Amino acid sequence: MKFQPLFLIGLAASALILTGCPVGISFPLAAQKDAAAYDPKLEGTWACSDAAAEMQRVTISKGEAKGTYTIEVLERGELYALDTDLFTAWVTELEGRRFLVAKPDNENKFYHYCFEFTGGGELRTYDVGLKVGGVDAVSSVETFREEVRLSLKDPECLSSPYDWVRE
């Protein structure tokens, strides 16, 4: 069987999607002005215990605007694909879960991670999969929230758990 170039490109794209790498979305899960209350527990330098993570070490500090954080990537993983190491971030809540919305300083896309603090005060993050209508169903903040709300009913919505320890 002879493989066509478009088939190989599609196969490669599918492999990236299935590995749980976050995808930049044109809309945030919540507008910055609607950010949840600032949580100082997120502040600090965090190191990921999994060598496969896109980011290996980050510093999270209080941002300039109310309710925001500044994230600086100190050490990139092999799959890190962005051209910047600086993000403005904020937290939103949906269906009893907390999400970090991270906007790179050099592009108009948003990256989203579900997070929780573990019993030992460590941080666990998850990639967020859109399991119902996918990225094509997202045309606004409202439709994005609805897509995530519905996707959370699928146990595979939150994938690629990464544990982070404070340095």
Side-chain angles (χ1 to χ4, degrees), residues 39-48 57-58 60 117 120-123 163-167:
D39 187 348
K41 289 193 315 186
L42 281 170
E43 286 184 52
T45 299
W46 296 90
C48 186
R57 288 181 62 238
V58 299
I60 301 175
F117 291 102
E122 295 160 345
L123 183 66
D163 291 325
W164 299 80
V165 294
R166 191 184 308 273
E167 291 187 334

Side-chain angles (χ1 to χ4, degrees), residues 18 24 27 32 38 42 54 58 70 76 84 86 98-99 101 106 108 110 114-115 121 146 153:
L18 294 175
F27 299 94
Q32 183 177 327
Y38 185 82
L42 281 170
E54 286 185 338
V58 299
T70 297
R76 297 175 172 195
T84 186
L86 291 175
R98 296 174 76 193
F99 296 85
V101 179
N106 67 344
N108 242 354
F110 301 88
C114 184
F115 74 94
E146 181 65 8
K153 294 177 182 179

